[in-house]
Amino acid sequence: IRSSAEAVDGSGRMAATAMVKAACPSASTSCRAPSAPVTVTARRPSGGRRKAHRHLVQHTTVQGLSSPLGAARRHAVGPRATVFASTSDVQEPSKKATSLAESMKAVFAGWADLVTTALSKLSAKRVIFALAAKFQLWNVPLLPFLSTGRHLIGLVNSLATLGAISKKTASTFEGLFHNYRKAVVGQTEGVDDKRVVHIMKQILRCVFKEFVDPYEFPSYHERILEPYNYYDFGQEYVSCMTDFENSYIGHVDRFEEVQQKLRAGENVILLANHQSEADPGVWALMLERRFPELAENVVYVAGDRVVSDPLCKPFSMGRNLLCVHSKKYMDEDPKTKPDKMKQNRMTLSKMQKMLSAGGTLLWIAPSGGRDRPDDSGKWLPADFDEATVALMYKLGSKAKSKTNFYPFAMWSYAIMPPPPKVVVELGEERIINFSGVGVSLAEALDIDGITEGLPEDDRDAVAKAITEKTWEEMNKEYVLLDRAISERVGTSWEAKGYVTPGRSASYVLPVRNAASEAGERPADDAWYAW
């Protein structure tokens, strides 16, 4: 009735009356001009007659009708149907009810906006990260079908497409895989495609973990050995690139001297050149067999890039680090400079406490970065920064324990050469080569002899003298390492103090147990005996 009577007004009341008669033939339908809306209500019969009266609509409102018999009149419509006609005015809701309705409407609208916004921001990346963080998916071994490089690269690109890792990282990882495989496969026994895929799976696992649940390096970071051993992970990666038959340790007797001084509670600061991201691994690989304490307990003074680059972070997590921000990159973002300077102060405070406690071995590159080739393509150690050398000398002098300073040479650029020029953006291309490497110690600096004749209050002159002498002694050892590796001298330089580490790339990682952790090697330790 309502659908047919929507257009009914005073002039169309007869048509509405006819519709009421059609619905309820026995009803009284005398009508006059409407003075108020009229409600026509049909009560359906119960029982078996309900189906016959489905055309009656309960609580149906017909505008334009009114009863001639008053405000409300009852009309009999057969034995089981009654029609009520009412001219009562429609009651307006109270102010309280209106206010409550508006409040409820506002609440529901707010929730609707919230849900809509959340759904609109939902992405595959957020879902993956949430699930990965919840179930720690990086601890689950990658599926067995990822047995080839093609499968691994496909997975990496899929993660990048979903936003789980950045496209820059995916591209860098793909380049790393191909360069690494090309450099190491077939070079030594035991290094094949299967091993390369295994190593790359570990790298992918660690990188994915850092995107999902990133690790924040404190001012002082202790190497992580469990539940995942990041130290062994880094050692295996670097070992496959290393030609152990053409690698050298210069002046083994000086390393023995350093070890004895550390055991006596003295400090040793290595003032070194820096050539590649693999330098910590090279140091440990060269010394792991003869000097395991030096190999594992050294603390590296690390710049911000090695703790922020996605592909570099997992390797850094396996080393002891004092984290600082290099002056080269301090002004990249003026907004972050105050925080960087604050962390540097915290790091220096921690360093001072470690030196005062004694028995600390520090490795620092006063150049502030990796060496680069000159215009002719020849690699030479970069100049040392006088302020850095002066700072280390000041910290060592103030320490309660005696501090010794050793110039230290690294030769490692060939296995992972840095870009020819400094690249500010993270995610540089990784070039990999199979090559020999070397480490060598110069004699400990005689600070009193170096500064003899200089005014004590002339700090600049003292810093310059110590810096120049340090670089000069380090460079002498570097030149000898360069010659030994270039000429493949083998064992012919043993009389000069240069020996090979005596292992191959297929070596088994050291067995660590209670005795070895305490600095003792049991007689039945097969790795140590070999």
Side-chain angles (χ1 to χ4, degrees), residues 172 176 234-235 237-238 241 274-283 300 304-316 319 321 329 363 369-372 379 410 412-419 423 425-432:
T172 304
L176 172 65
Q235 292 304 99
Y237 170 78
V238 179
M241 301 183 288
H274 178 29
Q275 294 213 312
S276 79
E277 291 178 328
D279 281 355
V282 170
W283 162 273
Y300 302 92
D304 50 348
R305 297 177 69 82
V306 301
V307 298
S308 56
D309 188 293
L311 281 179
C312 200
K313 283 182 68 175
F315 297 97
S316 300
R319 315 293 171 179
L321 304 178
Y329 310 106
W363 185 103
R370 290 167 289 179
D371 301 336
R372 296 300 201 282
W379 291 78
M410 291 284 306
S412 61
Y413 74 85
I415 60 174
M416 287 188 70
V423 178
E425 183 182 4
L426 297 177
E428 66 186 52
E429 180 184 8
R430 265 64 178 191
I431 304 299
I432 308 297

Side-chain angles (χ1 to χ4, degrees), residues 118 120-133 162-164 212:
S120 65
K121 291 184 178 180
L122 190 63
S123 65
K125 177 179 178 179
R126 290 175 178 269
V127 172
I128 292 174
F129 279 18
L131 291 175
L162 293 173
V212 175

Side-chain angles (χ1 to χ4, degrees), residues 266 320 379 408 423 476:
E266 297 181 16
N320 301 312
W379 291 78
F408 175 65
V423 178
K476 287 180 180 179

Side-chain angles (χ1 to χ4, degrees), residues 438-476:
V439 297
S440 184
L441 271 179
E443 292 184 355
L445 293 176
D446 179 8
I447 301 296
D448 292 337
I450 295 172
T451 58
E452 185 178 0
L454 297 176
E456 294 183 1
D457 57 348
D458 192 345
R459 296 181 180 179
D460 292 340
V462 170
K464 182 178 180 180
I466 296 176
T467 302
E468 290 179 350
K469 183 62 174 179
T470 302
W471 188 91
E472 179 184 339
E473 295 300 318
M474 175 276 301
N475 190 58
K476 287 180 180 179

Side-chain angles (χ1 to χ4, degrees), residues 274-275 303-305 324-333 337 340 344 365-373 380-385 388 418-425:
H274 178 29
Q275 294 213 312
D304 50 348
R305 297 177 69 82
V324 298
H325 295 276
S326 173
K327 292 191 297 183
K328 286 186 177 181
Y329 310 106
M330 181 67 73
D331 296 322
E332 283 183 7
D333 185 359
K337 185 175 180 178
K340 292 179 179 179
N344 281 359
S367 62
R370 290 167 289 179
D371 301 336
R372 296 300 201 282
L380 295 173
D383 293 334
F384 285 176
D385 178 59
T388 302
K421 303 295 181 182
V422 176
V423 178
V424 175
E425 183 182 4

Side-chain angles (χ1 to χ4, degrees), residues 142-152 177 180-182 184-203 236 240:
L142 292 179
L143 298 178
F145 68 80
L146 293 175
S147 58
T148 68
R150 183 168 57 87
H151 294 155
L152 198 60
F177 173 83
Y180 190 81
R181 178 186 175 279
K182 182 179 179 181
V184 306
V185 170
Q187 293 290 348
T188 53
E189 182 181 356
V191 181
D192 52 15
D193 283 326
K194 183 178 180 181
R195 188 170 183 186
V196 169
V197 171
H198 164 73
I199 292 173
M200 290 297 148
K201 280 184 180 181
Q202 300 307 307
I203 295 177
E236 183 178 18
C240 293

Side-chain angles (χ1 to χ4, degrees), residues 157-232:
N157 290 332
S158 298
L159 291 174
T161 301
L162 293 173
I165 62 176
S166 68
K167 293 183 178 180
K168 176 72 173 179
T169 300
S171 176
T172 304
F173 180 88
E174 183 174 356
L176 172 65
F177 173 83
H178 291 303
N179 291 337
Y180 190 81
R181 178 186 175 279
K182 182 179 179 181
V184 306
V185 170
Q187 293 290 348
T188 53
E189 182 181 356
V191 181
D192 52 15
D193 283 326
K194 183 178 180 181
R195 188 170 183 186
V196 169
V197 171
H198 164 73
I199 292 173
M200 290 297 148
K201 280 184 180 181
Q202 300 307 307
I203 295 177
L204 177 59
R205 166 205 176 279
C206 295
V207 170
F208 178 65
K209 188 265 180 189
E210 287 308 305
F211 273 96
V212 175
D213 184 25
Y215 176 78
E216 296 294 333
F217 285 83
S219 294
Y220 175 60
H221 163 80
E222 293 188 75
R223 64 190 183 126
I224 299 175
L225 303 179
E226 56 183 21
Y228 182 77
N229 195 318
Y230 285 91
Y231 175 83
D232 286 350

